[in-house]
Amino acid sequence: MGLFSKIADRIFNRKADTPASAPASGKPAPVIFEGSRNDPQVSPPALRSASAVTPTASAPEPVDVEAVLRDMAQAKGGDSDWRRSIVDLLKLLDLDSSLAARKELAAELGIDAGAHGSAEQNIALHKAVMRKLAENGGKVPADLRD
């Protein structure tokens, strides 16, 4: 898994609006079916007739990247410049922000701007990450992409 995949995973698998809640116990609640085998309200999906199953295929809502990152920063004390700094963004996501990691990210995203570790490259990396998050279903404000 490349570094960008780890970034996307940390952002897209969180919800900005709702805190992550752990189940009360490690065991799922038992499911008890009552009624007839053909009742779509209570029968397991495998026993339902094809006409009783109506799939609802709707596109998932785009993840508000800015809101997720803002909430993460607030939860960690708010002292982060993730909006401009690739190093702070990676640290916020609890990912490796070393020069070697940023070189890897630059290679992964095809960024060839300035010397490795330079401000020019770090700015280009940050913008490339935000653009790529937007391309992959994230809602990213224009000022973070450009």
Side-chain angles (χ1 to χ4, degrees), residues 69 80 82 85-93 126 129-130:
L69 293 172
S80 176
W82 65 265
S85 168
I86 189 67
V87 172
D88 282 2
L89 176 63
L90 292 170
K91 285 181 180 180
L92 178 64
L93 297 171
H126 188 277
V129 165
M130 291 299 167

Side-chain angles (χ1 to χ4, degrees), residues 2 4 17 31-32 48 56 58 65-66 68 70-71 87 100 106 112 114 118 120 129 136-137:
F4 177 77
D17 306 338
V31 177
I32 300 172
R48 294 183 195 160
T56 56
S58 62
V65 172
E66 182 179 31
V68 169
R70 182 185 61 237
D71 290 351
V87 172
D112 187 23
S118 68
E120 183 181 3
V129 165
N136 286 283

Side-chain angles (χ1 to χ4, degrees), residues 4 33 38 40 44 52 54 70-71 73 75 85 98 100-101 105 107 109 111 118 128 140:
F4 177 77
F33 295 103
N38 296 319
T54 55
R70 182 185 61 237
D71 290 351
S85 168
S98 68
L105 184 59
L109 297 178
I111 300 300
S118 68
V140 181

